[in-house]
Amino acid sequence: MSPHKPEEPDNSDDADELNLSPLKLPANCTTPPPRPHVGRVLLHSVEITTPRSFPKLAFTASPAPSTRQPLAKIPTTTTGVACHVAELVAASPSRPSPFQNVLPPQNSPNRTDQLPSTTSRDRLQSKSPKKDQSPASRPQSPTRIPRSLPSHLGTCLRLQKSAMLSELQNCSMECDEGASLGPVNTAASQQLKDLLAGTVTRGEGNSCFVLGPRGSGKTAIVDRAIASLDQTPIVIRLSGHTELNDRLALREIARQLSLQTGKTYLGELNNDDDQDDDDNPFLDASPSIDIPPPSHLPALVSALTTLSRPVVVILDAFDLFALHARQALLYCLLDTAQSCKVGQGHNGIAVIGVTTRIDTINLLEKRVKSRFSGRMLRTAAPTELSFWMKLIERVLRARIEPQEEEWEPLWTLAIDNFITDRKVLEQIQETVAVTRDIRVLQRILIGVVAALAPSSPFPTCAQLISAVHAQRICDPFPHLSTLPYPSVCLLIAAVHAHTAGHDAITFEMLYDAFREQYRASAAAPIQVAGGSIGMSRCTREVLMRGFERLIGERIFICITASSTSIAPGFARYRSALTWDDVKRAVDKMGKTNLKKWLTKAQ
C-alpha cells in the first residue's frame, strides 16, 4: 500500500442495504416523488455539495412503478456539486457508482443550465468588480461623476476655477465674433464703424449718441468699432462719474494727450512757472505734465484737430456732463466737431456720447443742441435664450492644461449634465426674462464658481439657485405680518391717507381714521358663524406705542426737522410701504376686519 494513498474502506455491507437500481417513472410523471432515507453512504470521505440551482436529472422509465426504491439522502452544503460527483466517479472505477445514471451529460450541446467548473467560476468572478470595493480602487467611468473629488485632482479644480474667473473678467456682449448679437446691436455696430471710418479716413468731424440699457453692449460696440479701424486714432475717454466739472475734464484730456503723444500741450500758457524750481532738490525729478488753466479750455479743445492723428473722444455717462455749469466742455467739443471740414488740412475728430437716458438730448442747452449732429444709435441685448446659454457654456468650458488625464472627460461630462438640466434652463430663462444685463449674469456665474470645492467639485442646480437669489433685492420689511394689531391698523390708515392725496401723515390723522373705522364697524356689526368681525378697540396710548415702533423700524420716516414747538402727534412723516406691501401683510394675518378696511382704499 502506498503511504500517500489512504486505504479504501469496505462498503460492501452498505451497498447491499441500498437498492441502487435505475429509477423508473411512469410516462405521465415528470418529477420523482420524495423518498425516505433508508441507509447511509460513505463515499471515500469526500464532501458532496449541492449548487444553488440544481441541474435537471435524467431518468429512465420503469416497468413496475410500485417497486421503486428511494434514493439515499446525502449530506449537502451550499456550493457546487458537478465537479465533486465527477471526482467520485473517477475515484472508484471498479465499483458501480450510484450517480452514473443521474449525472447530466457533460458534452451535451443543448445544456444551457450546466454549472461552470471551479476554475472558470473563479475567473468570471475576478473579472467583475465586487460591490463592496471602494470607489478609489475602481477605475472611474466617464459616465459616472463622483460626489467628492479625489485628492490628486485638487490642483485641476483650482486651475479650472482660475480659468473660468479669467473668462468672466473678459466676458462681454460682443466677445464672440460668431455670436448672433441681434438685429439692433448689429445695425448699431455697423453704423458706428462707418462713422468712425469717415473720421479717420477722410478727416470728417462727427458726433453721435449710443443709447441703450445697462449691460446691452454699448461700450463693447464702441471698442470693437475703434479696433476695426485701419489707422489707430488718439482715444480720449472721459466719464461723468469722475469728471464732475470742466476743470477735472480738462486735466484728464491734457493727461491722456501727453501719455499718447509724449508732448505737453499749452504748457507755455501757465503763468505759475518759477525759474528757481530747476535748482530745487525737493522737487520730483521725473517728467511732469503741465496742466493749462481752465480759461484755456477752448484753446486746448480746438488744438485736437491739429494733432498728428485723428481723435476720438468718448464721453461715458454723457447725461452727467449735461449737469456741468454752462455745459462749456460739451459746447467746445461739439463746436470743434461741427467746424471740422474735409480738405482743410486737419485730421478728423469724433465725439461719442454713451448714456442710458433716452431723453439726454433734451438736457442740452439750445446752443449745444444746435451743434450736435442728431445721430442716435440704439443698442439692445439679445432676447434669445440660446445666446445666453452659449455665453454660460463658453465660460464653464474654459480650457486648461490639466495635470491628470481623467480630469477633462470628467469635467466635460459634468458641464453637459449641468447645461441640459431642466431646472437650470428654467432659472436662466427666468433671469433673462427679468434682466438682460450681462453684468448680472457675470455675478451669478461668479457665485457658482466660488461655491466649487473638493466636497462639491462640479456645478449643480442648487448652487445656481443660491447665486440667483443672492442677486435679487431682499424684502426690506419681511416681518410686517408679525406686527401687532395696533401697528397694522396704523399702516392701513396711512394707506387710506395716501389714497386721499396726503403724502405726509401725522399720528393725529391716523388716529382719527382709526376712530372713524371703529365707529362704522360698531354701528353696523357683522356676524360670521356667531362671532363678530368688527374692529377691535384700541386706546390712544396703545396706538401711540405702535406708532413709535413703526418709527423705530424706519417704516414711518420723519420729513421735518425736530422741534420742541411741535407736539409729537403733529410731526410729519411719510410711509416707506406701498399698498401691495400692506396687502401681503394683511393677507398673511388672515383678519377679515382688516381686509375689509384695506379694500376700501383701492
Side-chain angles (χ1 to χ4, degrees), residues 281-536:
F282 299 102
L283 295 180
D284 191 1
S286 60
S288 60
I289 300 175
D290 294 334
I291 305 300
S295 60
H296 299 142
L297 174 62
L300 177 62
V301 174
S302 61
L304 296 178
T305 57
T306 63
L307 301 179
S308 59
R309 290 181 293 167
V311 179
V312 177
V313 181
I314 303 174
L315 302 176
D316 193 12
F318 185 87
D319 54 296
L320 298 181
F321 284 98
L323 303 179
H324 293 185
R326 300 178 57 192
Q327 299 180 358
L329 175 64
L330 299 181
Y331 176 80
C332 294
L333 288 174
L334 295 177
D335 183 70
T336 303
Q338 187 184 40
S339 60
C340 183
K341 304 298 181 181
V342 179
Q344 295 181 356
H346 299 294
N347 289 317
I349 181 174
V351 180
I352 303 175
V354 181
T355 179
T356 59
R357 292 189 58 172
I358 61 176
D359 61 338
T360 303
I361 193 172
N362 298 328
L363 302 177
L364 301 179
E365 296 180 359
K366 184 177 180 180
R367 65 190 185 105
V368 179
K369 188 185 300 184
S370 62
R371 285 160 175 77
F372 177 61
S373 63
R375 297 188 186 95
M376 290 184 288
L377 311 180
R378 298 185 180 273
T379 62
T383 58
E384 297 82 5
L385 182 62
S386 59
F387 172 83
W388 301 99
M389 294 304 299
K390 290 180 181 178
L391 200 63
I392 296 173
E393 189 172 359
R394 183 171 66 249
V395 172
L396 297 180
R397 295 187 187 276
R399 298 300 300 272
I400 63 171
E401 296 182 359
Q403 301 177 356
E404 302 291 339
E405 296 180 355
E406 57 182 319
W407 170 256
E408 185 173 356
L410 200 62
W411 180 260
T412 302
L413 177 61
I415 299 304
D416 291 340
N417 296 342
F418 180 77
I419 295 296
T420 57
D421 191 353
R422 180 179 57 85
K423 294 183 179 180
V424 171
L425 295 177
E426 291 177 356
Q427 289 294 326
I428 298 300
Q429 187 173 8
E430 181 181 353
T431 304
V432 173
V434 174
T435 177
R436 296 184 181 91
D437 191 348
I438 191 174
R439 293 171 295 184
V440 175
L441 183 64
Q442 289 176 340
R443 291 193 292 267
I444 291 175
L445 293 180
I446 288 175
V448 174
V449 174
L452 299 181
S455 59
S456 179
F458 305 107
T460 60
C461 182
Q463 296 174 352
L464 178 64
I465 293 176
S466 178
V468 169
H469 287 175
Q471 298 301 321
R472 295 181 178 178
I473 300 177
C474 300
D475 188 4
F477 306 106
H479 60 285
L480 292 179
S481 58
T482 62
L483 292 176
Y485 178 81
S487 299
V488 177
C489 290
L490 293 175
L491 292 179
I492 298 176
V495 172
H496 279 273
H498 181 75
T499 305
H502 303 288
D503 293 334
I505 57 175
T506 62
F507 172 76
E508 295 296 336
M509 293 172 57
L510 303 183
Y511 178 64
D512 291 340
F514 174 77
R515 283 196 306 174
E516 292 178 2
Q517 178 63 20
Y518 173 74
R519 291 173 182 174
S521 63
I526 301 176
Q527 299 289 332
V528 174
S532 175
I533 61 173
M535 299 292 296
S536 301

Side-chain angles (χ1 to χ4, degrees), residues 19-78:
N19 184 5
L20 301 178
S21 61
L23 299 177
K24 303 298 182 65
L25 294 178
N28 58 353
C29 183
T30 59
T31 40
R35 298 177 179 181
H37 176 69
V38 296
R40 56 189 179 87
V41 178
L42 297 175
L43 299 176
H44 301 277
S45 301
V46 178
E47 182 182 6
I48 300 176
T49 59
T50 57
R52 293 191 178 97
S53 60
F54 292 92
K56 295 181 180 180
L57 303 180
F59 298 97
T60 57
S62 175
S66 59
T67 60
R68 292 193 303 251
Q69 297 295 332
L71 186 64
K73 205 170 189 178
I74 303 172
T76 61
T77 60
T78 58

Side-chain angles (χ1 to χ4, degrees), residues 222-234:
V222 174
D223 293 341
R224 173 171 291 187
I226 294 175
S228 65
L229 297 175
D230 297 334
Q231 180 182 356
T232 304
I234 298 174

Side-chain angles (χ1 to χ4, degrees), residues 101-283:
N101 296 328
V102 298
L103 286 175
Q106 298 296 328
N107 55 356
S108 176
N110 299 327
R111 296 293 297 177
T112 59
D113 55 348
Q114 188 173 353
L115 292 177
S117 62
T118 306
T119 307
S120 62
R121 184 172 65 252
D122 295 341
R123 184 165 57 252
L124 290 176
Q125 291 179 357
S126 62
K127 290 183 180 180
S128 60
K130 297 180 180 180
K131 293 184 178 180
D132 56 350
Q133 190 175 1
S134 61
S137 61
R138 292 200 304 265
Q140 293 291 344
S141 175
T143 60
R144 183 176 180 271
I145 301 177
R147 293 185 178 180
S148 60
L149 192 68
S151 58
H152 65 282
L153 295 179
T155 305
C156 299
L157 178 61
R158 290 191 295 270
L159 293 176
Q160 189 68 49
K161 292 176 65 176
S162 178
M164 289 188 293
L165 292 177
S166 178
E167 184 70 23
L168 281 172
Q169 184 179 5
N170 302 324
C171 183
S172 63
M173 188 65 66
E174 296 194 354
C175 57
D176 190 0
E177 292 285 349
S180 176
L181 303 176
V184 179
N185 282 12
T186 302
S189 179
Q190 186 61 39
Q191 292 175 11
L192 186 59
K193 289 179 181 179
D194 296 340
L195 184 143
L196 293 179
T199 299
V200 173
T201 305
R202 296 183 295 272
E204 299 175 354
N206 295 311
S207 60
C208 68
F209 283 166
V210 180
L211 305 177
R214 301 184 185 277
S216 59
K218 299 184 296 296
T219 305
I221 289 176
V222 174
D223 293 341
R224 173 171 291 187
I226 294 175
S228 65
L229 297 175
D230 297 334
Q231 180 182 356
T232 304
I234 298 174
V235 180
I236 299 176
R237 300 177 183 271
L238 302 177
S239 175
H241 298 287
T242 56
E243 281 72 51
L244 303 179
N245 51 52
D246 291 343
R247 178 183 176 85
L248 295 177
L250 174 65
R251 294 173 62 89
E252 185 64 19
I253 291 175
R255 187 187 70 85
Q256 294 188 25
L257 285 177
S258 299
L259 291 177
Q260 297 186 54
T261 61
K263 299 179 181 179
T264 300
Y265 296 91
L266 302 180
E268 65 277 0
L269 298 179
N270 291 334
N271 299 324
D272 54 352
D273 296 338
D274 294 330
Q275 300 296 332
D276 298 336
D277 291 344
D278 297 336
D279 300 331
N280 192 345
F282 299 102
L283 295 180

